[in-house]
């Protein structure tokens, strides 16, 4: 959920150091950093101007620590799932937070990173992080959370190859949302990532399909594997390529990633112009009202 204020990682013209910042009513507030850290990035804000992100020794360092910020508390370290670092990516209006954290490591295990669900670190519900596990394999990342405290993100699905799938966590466990190329022999095609979820548990993100033509398909980047990235929407067990839902606009644009979806069913996405090859932010609005579940 996003409140009235905006959030970005900001820097001054005479310094490469960047701090999370809160923009409100024409003014900007430096949110600072966690103790002994140099950089910070804000990733999400809720309707009560509570902000989450991460702060570390370098910009977007994997050794960053997840933070919660509010006007009354300042920046608070959210802790970890036992390891050295964590990152927070989203917060809802109830103060529940998701992101990822390193697990406790030992001499006989490999360090792993799992998605987490955590209540606000202030108040009676401050009980710490919950490990959401994985779909299989070693890592998962929580990217978005809705009003029901349901989390979406992505996870490895086995320990054999590099495939990751989008997941939906509904409080009882992770559900694998699959991909649009589930039977492909190419593991680069059988991949998906969830980036947004609304209160009706509709999920958006991106997945992959075989390239139409490895040399001429505008969705394939030069020098990369011949797969095309496509934006998806998932609802009630079905994943759909958003490019199939925009009618004649497919003559001009290719939707390669969906970033967020609101409770009216509107979706923000990135679109590749088939004419110029440039990318644009776009807003997709359903022609008919989206029924609630």
């Amino acid at each position: 959920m996003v409140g009235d204020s905006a959030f970005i990682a900001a820097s001054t013209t005479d310094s490469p150091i960047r701090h999370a910042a809160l923009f409100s009513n024409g003014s900007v507030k430096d949110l600072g950093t966690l103790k002994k850290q140099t950089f910070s990035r804000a990733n999400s804000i809720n309707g009560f101007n509570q902000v989450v992100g991460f702060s570390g020794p370098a910009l977007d360092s994997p050794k960053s620590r997840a933070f919660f910020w509010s006007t009354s508390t300042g920046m608070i370290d959210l802790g970890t799932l036992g390891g050295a670092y964590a990152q927070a990516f989203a917060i809802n209006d109830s103060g529940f937070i998701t992101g990822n954290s390193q697990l406790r490591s030992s001499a006989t295990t490999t360090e792993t990173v799992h998605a987490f669900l955590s209540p606000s670190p202030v108040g009676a519900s401050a009980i710490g992080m919950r490990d959401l596990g994985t779909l299989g394999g070693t890592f998962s990342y929580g990217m978005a959370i809705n009003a029901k405290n349901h989390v979406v993100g992505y996870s490895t699905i086995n320990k054999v190859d590099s495939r990751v799938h989008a997941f939906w966590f509904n409080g009882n466990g992770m559900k694998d949302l699959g991909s649009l190329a589930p039977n492909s022999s190419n593991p680069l095609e059988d991949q998906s990532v969830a980036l947004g979820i609304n209160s009706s548990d509709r999920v958006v993100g991106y997945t992959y399909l075989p390239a139409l033509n490895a040399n001429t398909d505008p969705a394939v980047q030069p020098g990369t594997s011949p797969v095309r990235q496509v934006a998806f929407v998932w609802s009630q067990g079905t994943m759909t390529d958003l490019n199939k839902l925009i009618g004649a606009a497919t003559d001009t644009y290719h939707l390669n990633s969906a970033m967020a979806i609101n409770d009216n069913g509107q979706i923000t996405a990135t679109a590749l112009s088939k004419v110029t090859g440039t990318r644009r932010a776009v807003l997709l609005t359903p022609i008919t009202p989206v029924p609630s579940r």
Side-chain angles (χ1 to χ4, degrees), residues 133-233:
T134 73
L135 296 171
T138 58
F139 69 80
S140 62
Y141 288 78
M143 302 303 295
I145 185 170
N146 69 8
K148 299 176 183 177
N149 298 336
H150 294 174
V151 174
V152 296
Y154 60 98
S155 168
T156 48
I157 63 173
N158 59 48
K159 296 182 179 180
V160 177
D161 54 40
S162 60
R163 282 183 295 164
V164 298
H165 279 183
F167 74 79
W168 169 52
F169 176 86
N170 65 358
N172 298 317
M174 276 190 183
K175 176 180 176 60
D176 187 340
L177 302 190
S179 73
L180 289 177
N183 300 316
S184 173
S185 59
N186 182 356
L188 296 176
E189 294 171 3
D190 182 20
Q191 308 251 12
S192 62
V193 171
L195 297 173
I197 182 172
N198 69 8
S199 295
S200 298
D201 286 325
R202 290 183 173 85
V203 181
V204 296
Y206 63 88
T207 184
Y208 295 91
L209 289 171
L212 300 178
N213 183 303
N215 297 317
T216 62
D217 189 339
V220 176
Q221 294 299 299
T224 65
S225 300
V227 295
R228 61 187 348 236
Q229 182 176 312
V230 299
F232 76 76
V233 58

Side-chain angles (χ1 to χ4, degrees), residues 59 257 261:
L59 183 64
S257 183
I261 181 170

Side-chain angles (χ1 to χ4, degrees), residues 10 17 24 26 32 40-41 52-53 55 67 119 128 130 149 157 178 195 202-203 217 219 228 240 251 255 286:
I17 295 176
S24 179
S40 61
R41 175 182 291 277
V52 296
S55 177
F67 73 75
R130 175 181 178 181
N149 298 336
I157 63 173
L195 297 173
R202 290 183 173 85
V203 181
D217 189 339
R228 61 187 348 236
T240 303
D251 294 336
L255 302 175

Side-chain angles (χ1 to χ4, degrees), residues 71-91:
T71 302
S72 60
T73 65
M75 192 174 285
I76 298 175
D77 190 330
L78 287 174
T80 73
L81 291 172
Y85 59 85
Q87 298 176 322
F89 286 100
I91 182 171

Side-chain angles (χ1 to χ4, degrees), residues 108-154:
T108 58
T109 61
T110 302
E111 294 178 346
T112 56
V113 175
H114 283 187
F116 70 78
L117 176 65
S118 175
S120 165
V122 296
S125 62
I127 57 176
M129 290 182 177
R130 175 181 178 181
D131 185 345
L132 301 189
T134 73
L135 296 171
T138 58
F139 69 80
S140 62
Y141 288 78
M143 302 303 295
I145 185 170
N146 69 8
K148 299 176 183 177
N149 298 336
H150 294 174
V151 174
V152 296
Y154 60 98

